[in-house]
Amino acid sequence: MKISVEEIKNAKNNTLQLNYEECVKGVNTDSPVSAQIVFSSYGACINAKGKIVANVKLTCDRCLKEFTEKIETEFDETYVLGTFNDKHSHEVELKDGDFVTDLNGESEIDVDDLIYQTLILNIPNPSVCDINCKGSVELEKYMKKESIDPRLEVFKNMKINEVK
């Protein structure tokens, strides 16, 4: 789904509200992703604020079982109309508020991409089905067993006499 920049600029008070209820390509969910987004136009910038709720299917990093994690997150993204890089062709230090998405002259904002990126960045790492998950037997075969260098075996039987 794409939203036209002109549609946002022509909306009442330069603000457009969008209720999003769709499946997002690239994110495995058991139901459509729901989001409430408010697009606001400020001259050469468009701001997108909102909240996303999704039940994402993940694989546990410990036991390799599939589980569903509810992700609720808020986002605040700023888009620059035109080309941001033209003004900053030399190296500059980024400060708070400088993290923006450059539309490079595009006339539409890709809402699916905004939702996708926000969800992917909010997937927990590591993904664990339960805080007490200890893993599984299947996973143990992939784990490296502790091995002792055969050259160091001689130290196993070594006795140390303490000097008093």
Side-chain angles (χ1 to χ4, degrees), residues 1-18 37-49 75 77-81 103 106-111 114:
M1 166 189 276
K2 294 189 179 195
I3 296 292
S4 168
V5 171
E6 285 302 314
E7 187 178 347
I8 298 167
K9 286 183 171 185
N10 294 333
K12 185 179 179 183
N13 297 328
N14 295 332
T15 302
L16 178 69
Q17 292 186 349
L18 175 69
I37 308 169
V38 176
F39 292 98
S40 302
S41 176
Y42 303 102
C45 297
I46 291 183
N47 183 264
K49 275 187 180 183
F75 62 91
E77 184 77 24
T78 302
Y79 295 90
V80 175
L81 306 174
L103 287 177
E106 291 289 320
S107 62
E108 296 178 321
I109 295 174
D110 189 350
V111 178
L114 171 65

Side-chain angles (χ1 to χ4, degrees), residues 112-129:
D112 293 327
D113 187 52
L114 171 65
I115 302 290
Y116 170 80
Q117 288 185 35
T118 303
L119 281 175
I120 293 299
L121 291 172
N122 284 283
I123 290 177
N125 188 18
S127 298
V128 182
C129 62

Side-chain angles (χ1 to χ4, degrees), residues 21-35:
E21 193 81 29
E22 294 184 28
C23 291
V24 178
K25 187 178 178 183
V27 180
N28 190 7
T29 59
D30 61 1
S31 61
V33 175
S34 109

